[in-house]
Amino acid sequence: MLEDLLPAWGGEEVVVRFDEPSATWMFVCVHSTVLGPGAGGTRMKVYAESRDALQDGLRLSSAMTSKNAMAGLPLGGGKAVLAVPEIPTGDRRRDLFLSYGDLVESLHGTYRTACDMNTSSADMDIVGERCSSVFGKTEAAGGSGSAAPATAVGVFNGLRTAVAHAFGDDDLGGRTVAIQGVGAVGEPLARQLADHGARLVLTDVDDVRAKELAQELDAETAGTEEIYDAECDVFAPCATGGVLSAETIPRLRSRVVAGAANNQLAEPEDADRLAERGIVYAPDFVVNAGGVIHLASLEMLGEDVAARDERLRGIGDTLMEVFALAERRGISTAVAADAIVEERLAPGRP
Ligand code: NAI
Ligand code: PHE
């Protein structure tokens, strides 16, 4: 599996460990340390095959390089995946994260970890018992807690900028936003949008979660498949990756796509499919950088909340830079964002 996956990835190193007591494959993917330690969360998931886990880690680590460079942070990109046979609890979970902490510590700071899917600040506290390269521990343990609320603020800022670009003004009053996934990021995003007068259509595989929030915010709900056909101005993917595809893009009714999910495009050609339909796509790694901005600003750069918030507002400015380049060169926004990242990573850049 290494022969076909690693050369195409183009990253620096992958460290693999099989943790026998938990039967877990651990993959730490350090994509780039050009701008600083490779930083990105730890995803824990049950995968059909360990190959799928490695592939996920590789793609996500490369997106972190882009995200961190685009956010102007002194961080490279990385991601770790814990491919578990089932999601562990209690002592078994604790033992797994201690063992994982030893692995991250053995990398001497080339990789800095944090939370991601199915991992929490409490898990990072356990990792932190064994290693110092960890962001997002609980406040009780000296960390800055969950990054999700800051991610939601960043997505909100990006979404508003994309609305201004598509419609000529950033007023959200009367605009309709369809949110796919109302979890740790989608829910606070929905609240901010509702506060600014937007109408919402919500969906979640957890039907009760979507319905309860919809009731509270006076919003509509849609089925998880129907959301692609929902009449709306903005589609905000805040659940899983790969949701923008040859199958779903023709169905979208929105003029804007802006959301939190990592790796939203199923394949690179989907950026052109969106552009051909006249849909303004806010590249995922540009608008979902609020989480890492929160962690790096407060825990690494020694900044206060006001400085962090200034950086979160900067997401809108970065997005405008992307839109401007895309228009100037006649390329998709995704390709424009990649070009800016490439420039920032180029050797010899002042
Ligand atoms: P979460 O797990 O708290 O929420 C995801 C929600 O989506 C859950 O409510 C889940 O039931 C729902 N969901 C899953 N599959 C779905 C589907 N097919 N259709 C509809 N709903 C579905 O995760 P979180 O933290 O809110 O993250 C959301 C996305 O944003 C993920 O892709 C994550 O990688 C990305 N992200 C999160 C950041 C953070 O700070 N938490 C930072 C940057 C990106
Ligand atoms: N895992 C989140 C993301 O994908 C947040 C995060 C990023 C945390 C980078 C730490 C470092 O952006």
Short mmCIF file of all heavy atoms in Angstrom, two decimals, residues 191-258:
data_model
loop_
_atom_site.label_atom_id
_atom_site.label_comp_id
_atom_site.label_asym_id
_atom_site.label_seq_id
_atom_site.Cartn_x
_atom_site.Cartn_y
_atom_site.Cartn_z
N ARG A 191 -26.21 29.21 14.91
CA ARG A 191 -26.65 30.26 15.85
C ARG A 191 -26.21 31.65 15.37
O ARG A 191 -26.99 32.60 15.42
CB ARG A 191 -26.09 29.99 17.24
CG ARG A 191 -26.70 28.78 17.90
CD ARG A 191 -26.17 28.57 19.32
NE ARG A 191 -26.62 27.30 19.83
CZ ARG A 191 -27.87 27.04 20.24
NH1 ARG A 191 -28.76 28.02 20.24
NH2 ARG A 191 -28.21 25.85 20.66
N GLN A 192 -24.96 31.75 14.92
CA GLN A 192 -24.50 33.07 14.45
C GLN A 192 -25.28 33.53 13.23
O GLN A 192 -25.62 34.71 13.12
CB GLN A 192 -23.02 33.00 14.04
CG GLN A 192 -22.06 32.92 15.20
CD GLN A 192 -20.66 32.71 14.68
OE1 GLN A 192 -20.00 33.65 14.27
NE2 GLN A 192 -20.21 31.48 14.67
N LEU A 193 -25.54 32.59 12.32
CA LEU A 193 -26.29 32.96 11.10
C LEU A 193 -27.70 33.40 11.47
O LEU A 193 -28.20 34.41 10.95
CB LEU A 193 -26.32 31.77 10.14
CG LEU A 193 -24.97 31.43 9.49
CD1 LEU A 193 -25.00 30.04 8.86
CD2 LEU A 193 -24.62 32.48 8.43
N ALA A 194 -28.32 32.68 12.39
CA ALA A 194 -29.68 33.04 12.81
C ALA A 194 -29.66 34.43 13.47
O ALA A 194 -30.53 35.26 13.21
CB ALA A 194 -30.24 31.99 13.76
N ASP A 195 -28.64 34.69 14.27
CA ASP A 195 -28.52 36.00 14.92
C ASP A 195 -28.43 37.13 13.89
O ASP A 195 -28.78 38.26 14.17
CB ASP A 195 -27.24 36.07 15.78
CG ASP A 195 -27.41 35.33 17.09
OD1 ASP A 195 -28.56 34.97 17.42
OD2 ASP A 195 -26.39 35.11 17.78
N HIS A 196 -27.88 36.81 12.73
CA HIS A 196 -27.73 37.83 11.67
C HIS A 196 -28.88 37.79 10.68
O HIS A 196 -28.77 38.32 9.57
CB HIS A 196 -26.39 37.68 10.95
CG HIS A 196 -25.24 38.19 11.77
ND1 HIS A 196 -24.74 37.49 12.85
CD2 HIS A 196 -24.56 39.36 11.73
CE1 HIS A 196 -23.77 38.19 13.40
NE2 HIS A 196 -23.64 39.32 12.75
N GLY A 197 -29.95 37.12 11.05
CA GLY A 197 -31.18 37.19 10.24
C GLY A 197 -31.27 36.19 9.10
O GLY A 197 -32.18 36.29 8.28
N ALA A 198 -30.33 35.23 9.04
CA ALA A 198 -30.40 34.25 7.93
C ALA A 198 -31.48 33.22 8.21
O ALA A 198 -31.75 32.88 9.36
CB ALA A 198 -29.05 33.56 7.77
N ARG A 199 -32.09 32.72 7.14
CA ARG A 199 -33.01 31.58 7.27
C ARG A 199 -32.17 30.32 7.11
O ARG A 199 -31.22 30.30 6.33
CB ARG A 199 -34.07 31.64 6.17
CG ARG A 199 -35.05 32.79 6.32
CD ARG A 199 -36.10 32.77 5.21
NE ARG A 199 -36.75 31.48 5.12
CZ ARG A 199 -36.69 30.67 4.05
NH1 ARG A 199 -36.03 31.03 2.98
NH2 ARG A 199 -37.30 29.52 4.05
N LEU A 200 -32.53 29.28 7.85
CA LEU A 200 -31.69 28.09 7.85
C LEU A 200 -32.45 26.83 7.44
O LEU A 200 -33.63 26.68 7.78
CB LEU A 200 -31.10 27.86 9.25
CG LEU A 200 -30.26 28.99 9.83
CD1 LEU A 200 -29.92 28.70 11.29
CD2 LEU A 200 -28.98 29.16 9.02
N VAL A 201 -31.75 25.96 6.72
CA VAL A 201 -32.24 24.60 6.49
C VAL A 201 -31.16 23.69 7.07
O VAL A 201 -29.99 23.77 6.66
CB VAL A 201 -32.40 24.30 4.98
CG1 VAL A 201 -33.00 22.92 4.79
CG2 VAL A 201 -33.27 25.35 4.29
N LEU A 202 -31.54 22.85 8.03
CA LEU A 202 -30.55 22.04 8.73
C LEU A 202 -30.74 20.56 8.45
O LEU A 202 -31.88 20.08 8.33
CB LEU A 202 -30.68 22.25 10.25
CG LEU A 202 -30.72 23.70 10.75
CD1 LEU A 202 -30.92 23.74 12.26
CD2 LEU A 202 -29.43 24.43 10.37
N THR A 203 -29.62 19.85 8.39
CA THR A 203 -29.71 18.39 8.33
C THR A 203 -28.60 17.78 9.17
O THR A 203 -27.55 18.40 9.39
CB THR A 203 -29.62 17.85 6.89
OG1 THR A 203 -30.03 16.48 6.89
CG2 THR A 203 -28.22 17.93 6.31
N ASP A 204 -28.86 16.58 9.66
CA ASP A 204 -27.83 15.84 10.39
C ASP A 204 -28.26 14.37 10.39
O ASP A 204 -29.45 14.08 10.40
CB ASP A 204 -27.73 16.34 11.85
CG ASP A 204 -26.40 15.97 12.49
OD1 ASP A 204 -26.13 14.75 12.69
OD2 ASP A 204 -25.60 16.87 12.76
N VAL A 205 -27.26 13.47 10.36
CA VAL A 205 -27.63 12.05 10.47
C VAL A 205 -28.29 11.80 11.82
O VAL A 205 -29.09 10.86 11.96
CB VAL A 205 -26.42 11.09 10.28
CG1 VAL A 205 -26.03 10.97 8.83
CG2 VAL A 205 -25.23 11.50 11.12
N ASP A 206 -27.95 12.62 12.78
CA ASP A 206 -28.65 12.59 14.07
C ASP A 206 -29.87 13.51 13.93
O ASP A 206 -29.81 14.71 14.18
CB ASP A 206 -27.71 13.08 15.18
CG ASP A 206 -28.33 13.01 16.55
OD1 ASP A 206 -29.56 12.92 16.63
OD2 ASP A 206 -27.57 13.06 17.54
N ASP A 207 -30.97 12.87 13.53
CA ASP A 207 -32.19 13.59 13.19
C ASP A 207 -32.72 14.44 14.36
O ASP A 207 -33.17 15.57 14.17
CB ASP A 207 -33.21 12.51 12.80
CG ASP A 207 -34.38 13.09 12.07
OD1 ASP A 207 -34.15 14.01 11.29
OD2 ASP A 207 -35.51 12.63 12.31
N VAL A 208 -32.60 13.89 15.55
CA VAL A 208 -33.12 14.59 16.73
C VAL A 208 -32.34 15.89 16.95
O VAL A 208 -32.91 16.95 17.23
CB VAL A 208 -33.01 13.68 17.98
CG1 VAL A 208 -33.44 14.42 19.25
CG2 VAL A 208 -33.84 12.42 17.78
N ARG A 209 -31.03 15.79 16.80
CA ARG A 209 -30.16 16.97 16.98
C ARG A 209 -30.58 18.09 16.01
O ARG A 209 -30.73 19.25 16.40
CB ARG A 209 -28.71 16.55 16.70
CG ARG A 209 -27.70 17.64 16.93
CD ARG A 209 -26.30 17.13 16.65
NE ARG A 209 -25.80 16.25 17.70
CZ ARG A 209 -24.60 15.67 17.68
NH1 ARG A 209 -23.80 15.87 16.66
NH2 ARG A 209 -24.22 14.90 18.65
N ALA A 210 -30.79 17.73 14.74
CA ALA A 210 -31.17 18.74 13.74
C ALA A 210 -32.55 19.32 14.06
O ALA A 210 -32.75 20.54 14.00
CB ALA A 210 -31.17 18.12 12.35
N LYS A 211 -33.48 18.47 14.45
CA LYS A 211 -34.86 18.93 14.70
C LYS A 211 -34.91 19.85 15.91
O LYS A 211 -35.60 20.87 15.90
CB LYS A 211 -35.78 17.73 14.89
CG LYS A 211 -36.05 17.00 13.57
CD LYS A 211 -37.44 16.40 13.53
CE LYS A 211 -37.83 16.08 12.10
NZ LYS A 211 -37.63 14.69 11.74
N GLU A 212 -34.17 19.49 16.97
CA GLU A 212 -34.21 20.32 18.18
C GLU A 212 -33.63 21.70 17.92
O GLU A 212 -34.17 22.72 18.34
CB GLU A 212 -33.44 19.63 19.33
CG GLU A 212 -34.26 18.51 19.95
CD GLU A 212 -33.54 17.80 21.08
OE1 GLU A 212 -32.36 18.13 21.39
OE2 GLU A 212 -34.16 16.89 21.66
N LEU A 213 -32.53 21.72 17.19
CA LEU A 213 -31.90 23.03 16.90
C LEU A 213 -32.81 23.84 15.98
O LEU A 213 -32.96 25.06 16.15
CB LEU A 213 -30.52 22.82 16.26
CG LEU A 213 -29.70 24.09 16.04
CD1 LEU A 213 -29.34 24.75 17.37
CD2 LEU A 213 -28.41 23.78 15.25
N ALA A 214 -33.42 23.16 15.02
CA ALA A 214 -34.32 23.85 14.08
C ALA A 214 -35.48 24.49 14.83
O ALA A 214 -35.88 25.62 14.54
CB ALA A 214 -34.82 22.88 13.02
N GLN A 215 -35.99 23.76 15.79
CA GLN A 215 -37.12 24.29 16.56
C GLN A 215 -36.69 25.55 17.32
O GLN A 215 -37.38 26.57 17.30
CB GLN A 215 -37.58 23.24 17.55
CG GLN A 215 -38.97 23.50 18.06
CD GLN A 215 -39.54 22.24 18.74
OE1 GLN A 215 -38.79 21.33 19.08
NE2 GLN A 215 -40.84 22.22 18.93
N GLU A 216 -35.51 25.45 17.93
CA GLU A 216 -35.01 26.59 18.71
C GLU A 216 -34.76 27.82 17.84
O GLU A 216 -35.01 28.95 18.25
CB GLU A 216 -33.71 26.16 19.41
CG GLU A 216 -33.31 27.06 20.53
CD GLU A 216 -31.89 26.75 20.97
OE1 GLU A 216 -31.51 25.56 20.98
OE2 GLU A 216 -31.16 27.68 21.29
N LEU A 217 -34.24 27.59 16.63
CA LEU A 217 -33.85 28.72 15.77
C LEU A 217 -34.91 29.05 14.71
O LEU A 217 -34.64 29.84 13.81
CB LEU A 217 -32.51 28.42 15.08
CG LEU A 217 -31.32 28.13 15.99
CD1 LEU A 217 -30.08 27.81 15.17
CD2 LEU A 217 -31.04 29.31 16.93
N ASP A 218 -36.05 28.42 14.82
CA ASP A 218 -37.13 28.65 13.88
C ASP A 218 -36.66 28.35 12.44
O ASP A 218 -36.88 29.14 11.52
CB ASP A 218 -37.61 30.11 14.01
CG ASP A 218 -39.00 30.28 13.43
OD1 ASP A 218 -39.67 29.25 13.23
OD2 ASP A 218 -39.38 31.42 13.13
N ALA A 219 -35.99 27.23 12.30
CA ALA A 219 -35.42 26.84 11.00
C ALA A 219 -36.17 25.64 10.43
O ALA A 219 -36.99 25.02 11.12
CB ALA A 219 -33.95 26.49 11.18
N GLU A 220 -35.86 25.31 9.18
CA GLU A 220 -36.43 24.10 8.57
C GLU A 220 -35.42 22.97 8.67
O GLU A 220 -34.23 23.20 8.88
CB GLU A 220 -36.68 24.35 7.08
CG GLU A 220 -37.84 25.26 6.78
CD GLU A 220 -37.91 25.57 5.30
OE1 GLU A 220 -37.63 24.66 4.48
OE2 GLU A 220 -38.21 26.73 4.97
N THR A 221 -35.88 21.75 8.49
CA THR A 221 -34.94 20.63 8.39
C THR A 221 -35.13 19.94 7.04
O THR A 221 -36.17 20.09 6.40
CB THR A 221 -35.15 19.58 9.51
OG1 THR A 221 -36.50 19.16 9.47
CG2 THR A 221 -34.79 20.13 10.87
N ALA A 222 -34.12 19.21 6.64
CA ALA A 222 -34.21 18.41 5.41
C ALA A 222 -33.55 17.07 5.69
O ALA A 222 -32.74 16.95 6.63
CB ALA A 222 -33.49 19.12 4.26
N GLY A 223 -33.86 16.06 4.88
CA GLY A 223 -33.21 14.77 5.02
C GLY A 223 -31.75 14.86 4.60
O GLY A 223 -31.36 15.82 3.91
N THR A 224 -30.94 13.89 4.98
CA THR A 224 -29.50 13.99 4.69
C THR A 224 -29.21 13.93 3.18
O THR A 224 -28.21 14.44 2.73
CB THR A 224 -28.70 12.88 5.41
OG1 THR A 224 -29.32 11.63 5.12
CG2 THR A 224 -28.65 13.11 6.90
N GLU A 225 -30.11 13.32 2.42
CA GLU A 225 -29.93 13.31 0.96
C GLU A 225 -30.57 14.54 0.32
O GLU A 225 -30.03 15.10 -0.64
CB GLU A 225 -30.54 12.04 0.36
CG GLU A 225 -29.52 10.96 0.06
CD GLU A 225 -28.36 11.47 -0.81
OE1 GLU A 225 -28.63 11.98 -1.90
OE2 GLU A 225 -27.19 11.36 -0.39
N GLU A 226 -31.70 14.97 0.89
CA GLU A 226 -32.44 16.10 0.31
C GLU A 226 -31.67 17.42 0.40
O GLU A 226 -31.95 18.36 -0.34
CB GLU A 226 -33.76 16.33 1.06
CG GLU A 226 -34.82 15.28 0.85
CD GLU A 226 -35.81 15.29 2.02
OE1 GLU A 226 -35.91 16.29 2.76
OE2 GLU A 226 -36.46 14.25 2.20
N ILE A 227 -30.72 17.49 1.32
CA ILE A 227 -30.05 18.77 1.57
C ILE A 227 -29.39 19.31 0.29
O ILE A 227 -29.29 20.53 0.10
CB ILE A 227 -29.03 18.65 2.72
CG1 ILE A 227 -28.66 20.02 3.28
CG2 ILE A 227 -27.78 17.86 2.33
CD1 ILE A 227 -29.71 20.69 4.09
N TYR A 228 -28.94 18.40 -0.58
CA TYR A 228 -28.27 18.86 -1.82
C TYR A 228 -29.25 19.58 -2.76
O TYR A 228 -28.84 20.34 -3.61
CB TYR A 228 -27.63 17.67 -2.56
CG TYR A 228 -26.55 16.99 -1.75
CD1 TYR A 228 -26.77 15.74 -1.18
CD2 TYR A 228 -25.33 17.60 -1.55
CE1 TYR A 228 -25.79 15.11 -0.43
CE2 TYR A 228 -24.33 16.99 -0.80
CZ TYR A 228 -24.58 15.74 -0.24
OH TYR A 228 -23.60 15.14 0.50
N ASP A 229 -30.52 19.28 -2.61
CA ASP A 229 -31.53 19.87 -3.50
C ASP A 229 -32.23 21.06 -2.84
O ASP A 229 -33.16 21.62 -3.42
CB ASP A 229 -32.60 18.83 -3.86
CG ASP A 229 -31.99 17.53 -4.35
OD1 ASP A 229 -31.18 17.59 -5.29
OD2 ASP A 229 -32.27 16.46 -3.76
N ALA A 230 -31.81 21.41 -1.62
CA ALA A 230 -32.53 22.45 -0.88
C ALA A 230 -32.40 23.80 -1.58
O ALA A 230 -31.32 24.17 -2.06
CB ALA A 230 -32.00 22.54 0.55
N GLU A 231 -33.51 24.53 -1.62
CA GLU A 231 -33.54 25.89 -2.18
C GLU A 231 -32.80 26.80 -1.20
O GLU A 231 -33.25 26.97 -0.06
CB GLU A 231 -35.01 26.31 -2.31
CG GLU A 231 -35.25 27.59 -3.06
CD GLU A 231 -34.97 27.44 -4.54
OE1 GLU A 231 -35.63 26.60 -5.19
OE2 GLU A 231 -34.08 28.15 -5.02
N CYS A 232 -31.63 27.34 -1.60
CA CYS A 232 -30.86 28.15 -0.64
C CYS A 232 -29.87 29.04 -1.39
O CYS A 232 -29.65 28.87 -2.59
CB CYS A 232 -30.09 27.25 0.33
SG CYS A 232 -28.93 26.14 -0.47
N ASP A 233 -29.31 30.01 -0.67
CA ASP A 233 -28.27 30.88 -1.25
C ASP A 233 -26.88 30.32 -0.99
O ASP A 233 -25.94 30.54 -1.77
CB ASP A 233 -28.37 32.28 -0.64
CG ASP A 233 -29.72 32.93 -0.94
OD1 ASP A 233 -30.02 33.08 -2.14
OD2 ASP A 233 -30.45 33.25 0.01
N VAL A 234 -26.73 29.65 0.17
CA VAL A 234 -25.42 29.13 0.57
C VAL A 234 -25.58 27.68 1.03
O VAL A 234 -26.50 27.37 1.79
CB VAL A 234 -24.84 29.93 1.76
CG1 VAL A 234 -23.45 29.42 2.14
CG2 VAL A 234 -24.80 31.42 1.45
N PHE A 235 -24.67 26.83 0.55
CA PHE A 235 -24.61 25.46 1.06
C PHE A 235 -23.37 25.37 1.94
O PHE A 235 -22.27 25.70 1.49
CB PHE A 235 -24.54 24.46 -0.10
CG PHE A 235 -24.37 23.02 0.32
CD1 PHE A 235 -25.30 22.41 1.16
CD2 PHE A 235 -23.28 22.28 -0.11
CE1 PHE A 235 -25.13 21.08 1.56
CE2 PHE A 235 -23.11 20.95 0.27
CZ PHE A 235 -24.04 20.36 1.11
N ALA A 236 -23.55 24.96 3.19
CA ALA A 236 -22.42 24.93 4.15
C ALA A 236 -22.17 23.49 4.62
O ALA A 236 -22.82 23.00 5.55
CB ALA A 236 -22.74 25.83 5.34
N PRO A 237 -21.18 22.81 4.00
CA PRO A 237 -20.87 21.44 4.43
C PRO A 237 -20.10 21.46 5.75
O PRO A 237 -18.98 21.98 5.81
CB PRO A 237 -19.98 20.89 3.30
CG PRO A 237 -20.01 21.91 2.20
CD PRO A 237 -20.35 23.22 2.86
N CYS A 238 -20.69 20.94 6.80
CA CYS A 238 -20.06 20.94 8.13
C CYS A 238 -20.10 19.55 8.74
O CYS A 238 -20.24 19.39 9.96
CB CYS A 238 -20.76 21.93 9.05
SG CYS A 238 -20.65 23.64 8.51
N ALA A 239 -20.02 18.52 7.88
CA ALA A 239 -20.08 17.14 8.40
C ALA A 239 -18.82 16.38 8.00
O ALA A 239 -17.84 16.38 8.74
CB ALA A 239 -21.35 16.46 7.90
N THR A 240 -18.87 15.78 6.80
CA THR A 240 -17.73 14.96 6.38
C THR A 240 -17.15 15.48 5.05
O THR A 240 -17.74 16.34 4.41
CB THR A 240 -18.17 13.49 6.16
OG1 THR A 240 -19.27 13.52 5.27
CG2 THR A 240 -18.59 12.86 7.46
N GLY A 241 -16.03 14.90 4.66
CA GLY A 241 -15.37 15.30 3.42
C GLY A 241 -16.00 14.62 2.20
O GLY A 241 -16.89 13.77 2.33
N GLY A 242 -15.54 15.05 1.02
CA GLY A 242 -15.93 14.39 -0.24
C GLY A 242 -17.37 14.59 -0.65
O GLY A 242 -17.89 13.86 -1.50
N VAL A 243 -18.04 15.64 -0.11
CA VAL A 243 -19.48 15.79 -0.40
C VAL A 243 -19.76 16.57 -1.68
O VAL A 243 -20.89 16.59 -2.15
CB VAL A 243 -20.23 16.45 0.79
CG1 VAL A 243 -20.18 15.53 2.01
CG2 VAL A 243 -19.68 17.82 1.11
N LEU A 244 -18.75 17.24 -2.24
CA LEU A 244 -18.94 17.98 -3.50
C LEU A 244 -18.40 17.12 -4.64
O LEU A 244 -17.19 16.95 -4.77
CB LEU A 244 -18.22 19.33 -3.44
CG LEU A 244 -18.64 20.24 -2.28
CD1 LEU A 244 -17.73 21.47 -2.19
CD2 LEU A 244 -20.10 20.67 -2.41
N SER A 245 -19.31 16.56 -5.43
CA SER A 245 -18.89 15.57 -6.42
C SER A 245 -19.67 15.74 -7.72
O SER A 245 -20.60 16.55 -7.80
CB SER A 245 -19.17 14.17 -5.87
OG SER A 245 -20.58 13.99 -5.75
N ALA A 246 -19.30 14.94 -8.71
CA ALA A 246 -20.01 14.97 -10.00
C ALA A 246 -21.49 14.65 -9.80
O ALA A 246 -22.34 15.09 -10.57
CB ALA A 246 -19.38 13.95 -10.95
N GLU A 247 -21.79 13.91 -8.77
CA GLU A 247 -23.19 13.54 -8.51
C GLU A 247 -23.95 14.66 -7.80
O GLU A 247 -25.10 14.96 -8.12
CB GLU A 247 -23.19 12.25 -7.67
CG GLU A 247 -24.54 11.54 -7.61
CD GLU A 247 -25.35 11.94 -6.39
OE1 GLU A 247 -24.81 11.96 -5.27
OE2 GLU A 247 -26.54 12.28 -6.56
N THR A 248 -23.30 15.32 -6.81
CA THR A 248 -24.04 16.30 -5.99
C THR A 248 -24.02 17.72 -6.58
O THR A 248 -24.99 18.45 -6.43
CB THR A 248 -23.47 16.37 -4.56
OG1 THR A 248 -22.09 16.78 -4.61
CG2 THR A 248 -23.59 15.04 -3.84
N ILE A 249 -22.92 18.11 -7.25
CA ILE A 249 -22.81 19.52 -7.71
C ILE A 249 -23.95 19.93 -8.65
O ILE A 249 -24.52 21.01 -8.48
CB ILE A 249 -21.40 19.77 -8.31
CG1 ILE A 249 -20.35 19.71 -7.19
CG2 ILE A 249 -21.33 21.14 -9.01
CD1 ILE A 249 -18.92 19.67 -7.64
N PRO A 250 -24.34 19.08 -9.61
CA PRO A 250 -25.45 19.49 -10.48
C PRO A 250 -26.76 19.72 -9.72
O PRO A 250 -27.64 20.41 -10.21
CB PRO A 250 -25.60 18.30 -11.45
CG PRO A 250 -24.30 17.58 -11.39
CD PRO A 250 -23.77 17.78 -10.01
N ARG A 251 -26.87 19.15 -8.53
CA ARG A 251 -28.12 19.28 -7.76
C ARG A 251 -28.17 20.56 -6.93
O ARG A 251 -29.25 20.98 -6.51
CB ARG A 251 -28.27 18.07 -6.84
CG ARG A 251 -28.47 16.78 -7.60
CD ARG A 251 -28.26 15.56 -6.73
NE ARG A 251 -29.13 15.54 -5.55
CZ ARG A 251 -29.03 14.65 -4.58
NH1 ARG A 251 -28.11 13.71 -4.64
NH2 ARG A 251 -29.84 14.70 -3.55
N LEU A 252 -27.01 21.16 -6.64
CA LEU A 252 -26.98 22.31 -5.72
C LEU A 252 -27.79 23.48 -6.28
O LEU A 252 -27.71 23.79 -7.46
CB LEU A 252 -25.54 22.75 -5.45
CG LEU A 252 -24.62 21.75 -4.73
CD1 LEU A 252 -23.24 22.36 -4.54
CD2 LEU A 252 -25.20 21.33 -3.38
N ARG A 253 -28.54 24.17 -5.40
CA ARG A 253 -29.34 25.31 -5.82
C ARG A 253 -28.73 26.62 -5.33
O ARG A 253 -29.31 27.68 -5.51
CB ARG A 253 -30.76 25.20 -5.24
CG ARG A 253 -31.39 23.82 -5.38
CD ARG A 253 -31.96 23.61 -6.76
NE ARG A 253 -33.21 24.34 -6.93
CZ ARG A 253 -34.39 23.88 -6.60
NH1 ARG A 253 -34.50 22.69 -6.05
NH2 ARG A 253 -35.47 24.60 -6.80
N SER A 254 -27.57 26.54 -4.67
CA SER A 254 -26.99 27.73 -4.05
C SER A 254 -26.03 28.46 -5.00
O SER A 254 -25.57 27.89 -5.99
CB SER A 254 -26.22 27.33 -2.79
OG SER A 254 -25.06 26.60 -3.15
N ARG A 255 -25.74 29.72 -4.66
CA ARG A 255 -24.73 30.48 -5.42
C ARG A 255 -23.37 30.42 -4.72
O ARG A 255 -22.35 30.84 -5.28
CB ARG A 255 -25.16 31.96 -5.50
CG ARG A 255 -26.30 32.24 -6.47
CD ARG A 255 -25.82 32.40 -7.91
NE ARG A 255 -24.74 33.36 -8.06
CZ ARG A 255 -24.89 34.68 -8.07
NH1 ARG A 255 -26.09 35.20 -7.96
NH2 ARG A 255 -23.84 35.47 -8.20
N VAL A 256 -23.38 29.94 -3.45
CA VAL A 256 -22.15 29.92 -2.65
C VAL A 256 -22.02 28.57 -1.95
O VAL A 256 -23.02 28.01 -1.50
CB VAL A 256 -22.20 31.04 -1.56
CG1 VAL A 256 -21.05 30.90 -0.56
CG2 VAL A 256 -22.19 32.43 -2.19
N VAL A 257 -20.79 28.04 -1.87
CA VAL A 257 -20.50 26.91 -0.98
C VAL A 257 -19.41 27.37 -0.02
O VAL A 257 -18.33 27.80 -0.46
CB VAL A 257 -20.01 25.67 -1.76
CG1 VAL A 257 -19.56 24.57 -0.80
CG2 VAL A 257 -21.13 25.12 -2.66
N ALA A 258 -19.71 27.33 1.27
CA ALA A 258 -18.72 27.72 2.29
C ALA A 258 -19.05 26.97 3.57
O ALA A 258 -20.14 27.12 4.11
CB ALA A 258 -18.79 29.24 2.55
#
